[in-house]
Amino acid sequence: MLNQKTIEIIKSTVPVLEVHGEQITTVFYKTMFENHPELLNIFNHANQKQGRQQRALAGTVYAAAKYIDNLEAILPVVNQIAHKHRSLGIQPEHYPIVGKHLLIAIKEVLGDAATDEIINAWADAYGVIADAFISVEADMYDAAANQKGGWDGFRPFIVANKVEESEVITSFYLKSVDGNEIATFKPGQYISVKLEIEGEDFTHIRQYSLSDAPGKDYYRISIKKEAGMETPDGKVSNYLHSSVEEGEVLSISAPAGDFFLDTEKETPVVLISGGVGLTPMVSMLNTVADLQPEKEVTFIHAAQNGKVHALKDEVAATAAKAKVNSVVFYDQPTEEDRQNNSFDVEGYVTKEWLKEKVNLEQSDFYFCGPVPFMKAINAALKDLGVTEDRIHFEFFGPMASLEV
């Protein structure tokens, strides 16, 4: 436990972190990777290049300082990050490295304002926070390894089937190489895939939502091919699309994640997705169809047009056998889309449409997609009076704010 003086010192740094937090975390990552390049085998290079990881960490450090006298308030954030850490293989020995370089970055950015008193207080606070993460993650590692069909670290899976779902999204069906049972998962969770790409100095780890219901003898991930081989995301997704074929082996970690469908509730659900954000939503939809076929479901998907709309036939077939109202939005429909009546609404998912068409009073809302899309959906739901306990969402990548 931290003493009162340390707590007061940490809380006094909150205004400074609000202003300089991202600068501190940018220096932190730069310095840490210079001194420990081996950590680039774990961290997502794309999120580093885009500044997303720096912004996410700055937000976490700020929240930790703000609630240092009530860390229970940030337990949901700790839990979410811990899931990602377990999926990536973050170990207790990594935490002292992070702590050392965080203090170096604070001192470098704040200069003389970072007195010995402040640095010592943050060293103590970091120790408490790191211990909390290590403890939570230890439990997660144990649960992942000891569950039925579970395992520790990364396990080899063979690409049993590779299916082109649209011009930009391809599904990979993964089966265990050893033929043994695989762990179940909750609809909405993800797996990490570790790749060694020829010509790359470091391994790449990417997290992909599972896109089918649990209970199968395979995992399915449906991956969007990002434009441009010169970007880290493009490099990995293009490699998977163009170079990984059926019969090849991928290393994956056991399913993880704190975003998942509550299958215990009987109330209606509204599943809203944009682009490749439909992958966890399809997992949820297929699960409801299997376990709760009488449950009222509204499945809303937004895409540019039919060329990039993945898993459309699967969703339609699932909707036909369960109590599902499926609605497709295209904002740039092709002439072929119009002729084939491939979509229901031209344009975007709006607050006005949601107000008119969905059950706002009882439904739980789950959504995923590009951040601007998610911000718009989140704002619309809040404006329409949907309570926060019925709003659930997932970021593809580090956390960000959905407040507009």
Side-chain angles (χ1 to χ4, degrees):
M1 295 294 293
L2 298 172
N3 62 47
Q4 189 57 37
K5 184 178 180 181
T6 299
I7 289 171
E8 289 171 0
I9 293 171
I10 295 297
K11 290 183 81 71
S12 75
T13 65
V14 168
V16 177
L17 291 171
E18 190 170 16
V19 175
H20 298 288
E22 196 168 332
Q23 186 182 358
I24 290 169
T25 56
T26 299
V27 170
F28 156 74
Y29 279 117
K30 179 177 180 294
T31 307
M32 184 175 70
F33 290 143
E34 286 174 352
N35 293 332
H36 292 274
E38 73 279 4
L39 293 180
L40 287 167
N41 288 308
I42 299 174
F43 284 84
N44 185 313
H45 304 188
N47 292 332
Q48 292 295 321
K49 293 276 189 183
Q50 297 163 5
R52 296 181 67 189
Q53 193 69 58
Q54 292 88 331
R55 286 191 292 275
L57 179 58
T60 302
V61 172
Y62 172 80
K66 185 176 180 180
Y67 297 104
I68 194 67
D69 54 346
N70 180 28
L71 288 175
E72 287 188 2
I74 63 168
L75 275 180
V77 175
V78 171
N79 194 54
Q80 184 179 47
I81 296 172
H83 271 285
K84 291 186 180 294
H85 284 180
R86 198 281 297 160
S87 181
L88 291 167
I90 300 292
Q91 298 296 325
E93 57 265 29
H94 293 134
Y95 279 92
I97 297 172
V98 170
K100 173 184 174 182
H101 289 88
L102 184 60
L103 297 179
I104 290 172
I106 291 172
K107 184 65 177 176
E108 181 174 329
V109 172
L110 300 185
D112 292 341
T115 63
D116 289 346
E117 189 176 51
I118 287 176
I119 294 297
N120 291 335
W122 263 107
D124 290 344
Y126 177 80
V128 169
I129 295 166
D131 285 346
F133 273 102
I134 291 169
S135 175
V136 170
E137 289 162 17
D139 291 341
M140 289 183 176
Y141 278 111
D142 286 344
N146 296 321
Q147 65 184 317
K148 191 177 181 183
W151 67 94
D152 187 29
F154 287 82
R155 178 178 172 183
F157 277 68
I158 192 167
V159 179
N161 201 9
K162 181 180 179 183
V163 179
E164 186 176 299
E165 307 287 5
S166 76
E167 288 187 357
V168 296
I169 295 175
T170 294
S171 289
F172 296 79
Y173 290 74
L174 308 173
K175 292 190 173 184
S176 63
V177 169
D178 58 21
N180 293 332
E181 190 172 8
I182 61 175
T184 189
F185 60 92
K186 297 175 181 177
Q189 291 189 306
Y190 55 80
I191 56 173
S192 284
V193 180
K194 182 162 65 174
L195 299 166
E196 294 185 6
I197 301 175
E198 187 176 350
E200 290 290 301
D201 293 332
F202 302 101
T203 58
H204 291 266
I205 302 177
R206 290 293 183 275
Q207 293 165 329
Y208 296 110
S209 293
L210 294 155
S211 63
D212 204 351
K216 311 287 196 295
D217 66 347
Y218 61 82
Y219 296 135
R220 184 179 73 179
I221 52 177
S222 303
I223 299 170
K224 179 185 177 185
K225 180 169 62 176
E226 301 292 344
M229 282 292 287
E230 69 281 357
T231 66
D233 262 349
K235 189 173 294 180
V236 172
S237 63
N238 277 272
Y239 173 79
L240 285 163
H241 275 249
S242 63
S243 300
V244 175
E245 302 297 342
E246 293 177 1
E248 296 196 36
V249 174
L250 298 175
S251 296
I252 72 171
S253 60
D258 68 338
F259 172 73
F260 50 83
L261 180 70
D262 186 345
T263 55
E264 300 297 317
K265 295 182 75 171
E266 299 293 334
T267 49
V269 294
V270 180
L271 308 176
I272 310 174
S273 57
V276 74
L278 93 165
T279 52
M281 301 300 136
V282 172
S283 176
M284 293 180 185
L285 177 69
N286 291 349
T287 301
V288 171
D290 288 345
L291 302 181
Q292 300 169 295
E294 295 304 311
K295 190 183 186 79
E296 179 185 324
V297 181
T298 303
F299 188 92
I300 302 165
H301 181 60
Q304 286 185 329
N305 50 53
K307 292 181 179 180
V308 295
H309 184 177
L311 302 168
K312 181 179 180 181
D313 292 341
E314 178 176 325
V315 169
T318 302
K321 70 180 183 181
K323 196 176 180 181
V324 177
N325 176 30
S326 176
V327 185
V328 174
F329 284 74
Y330 286 169
D331 60 85
Q332 297 176 30
T334 64
E335 191 56 40
E336 184 179 356
D337 292 331
R338 297 184 194 280
Q339 291 174 358
N340 295 336
N341 295 317
S342 298
F343 60 99
D344 302 297
V345 183
E346 182 171 353
Y348 301 99
V349 184
T350 64
K351 179 174 72 173
E352 292 72 24
W353 188 90
L354 290 168
K355 182 178 181 180
E356 182 182 349
K357 299 294 186 180
V358 304
N359 182 340
L360 295 168
E361 302 299 324
Q362 297 176 301
S363 299
D364 275 275
F365 291 81
Y366 297 81
F367 57 93
C368 186
V371 172
F373 171 85
M374 293 173 63
K375 284 185 174 182
I377 298 299
N378 188 58
L381 294 176
K382 288 188 173 182
D383 286 349
L384 292 168
V386 180
T387 54
E388 287 201 13
D389 63 311
R390 294 189 289 120
I391 297 176
H392 318 274
F393 52 85
E394 172 79 323
F395 286 104
F396 284 171
M399 292 181 297
S401 174
L402 290 188
E403 300 306 316
V404 292

